[in-house]
Amino acid sequence: MGRALRAPRPPLPRFAVAWFPAFEDLESIESYRRRHDPQATTIAAHLTLVFPFPTALTALQVETHVRKVASGWPPIAVTFRPVRGVGNEFVMLMATRGAAAVMQFHDTLYTRSIRPHLRKDIPYEPHITIARQPEPERYEAALAEAEAEFHGEFSSVLREVTLLSWRADGKIERLNTLPLDSR
């Protein structure tokens, strides 16, 4: 007698934490992203603090952890300036001012129940991905365009983070916005 086949388990929910900056000239970044980043229609320009991870934790459990960390963290003044190509596929705006504080905040978010999801094989560098072009010629063109277009600085203050959910259909949902310590 054969064993009865079980229905496959649904995928675990995936969560992430990001900051959506309110730069003065954010539209120039979004316009560039619409031309070069396939994620531009799925999610606005953002700084990822906790990368998408599958978990059996509930949204409330993840939110409780993020809220606790964020509420004890002061706002962070950040500036993104240099454009950098990474891995012959990605074009990013790299954080300069505030980068060390963002890295510490990132590391603190990856504690307790989220610790197992930290990728130790990739060093964290605060950035905003503005293009993804896996074809070498398109990547080189996107990088050259970004270097010509983005000369100034993009500055803001990270005062809140957003808990995101990645649905099985690929849609990204903003679950809750959590403030940093505003004392």
Side-chain angles (χ1 to χ4, degrees):
M1 253 191 0
R3 293 178 52 193
L5 294 177
R6 283 191 249 165
R9 291 183 179 162
L12 290 172
R14 292 172 41 132
F15 299 102
V17 178
W19 171 61
F20 294 92
F23 297 135
E24 194 169 299
D25 192 17
L26 185 59
E27 181 48 37
S28 67
I29 293 172
E30 293 296 2
S31 174
Y32 174 88
R33 288 183 69 234
R34 285 190 292 274
R35 294 189 305 275
H36 298 289
D37 186 354
Q39 290 289 317
T41 58
T42 306
I43 187 168
H46 62 282
L47 167 72
T48 303
L49 291 155
V50 173
F51 290 89
F53 65 96
T55 183
L57 297 171
T58 66
L60 180 59
Q61 288 171 313
V62 175
E63 180 181 327
T64 299
H65 169 73
V66 174
R67 182 181 304 278
K68 182 175 182 175
V69 172
S71 69
W73 206 269
I76 304 168
V78 290
T79 298
F80 294 82
R81 180 186 19 226
V83 170
R84 186 163 88 191
V86 176
N88 293 321
E89 183 172 352
F90 299 94
V91 178
M92 302 174 173
L93 289 173
M94 304 305 295
T96 52
R97 184 181 73 174
V102 171
M103 288 174 18
Q104 289 177 324
F105 185 42
H106 161 272
D107 291 349
T108 305
L109 285 165
Y110 274 104
T111 57
R112 304 179 50 91
S113 57
I114 296 178
R115 179 184 314 242
H117 305 288
L118 174 63
R119 292 208 40 200
K120 295 178 182 165
D121 59 323
I122 302 172
Y124 180 72
E125 293 184 81
H127 67 276
I128 296 172
T129 300
I130 57 173
R132 182 174 189 180
Q133 295 288 353
E135 297 173 26
E137 291 170 8
R138 294 184 71 177
Y139 163 75
E140 291 296 333
L143 179 58
E145 184 181 332
E147 289 171 337
E149 189 169 334
F150 301 117
H151 291 290
E153 296 180 340
F154 295 93
S155 296
S156 190
V157 178
L158 192 163
R159 297 181 190 280
E160 62 190 23
V161 296
T162 302
L163 178 62
L164 304 169
S165 171
W166 256 254
R167 297 191 335 216
D169 64 3
K171 299 238 188 272
I172 300 168
E173 182 180 359
R174 293 185 188 204
L175 298 179
N176 206 348
T177 299
L178 309 166
L180 273 62
D181 181 10
S182 59
R183 280 186 267 168

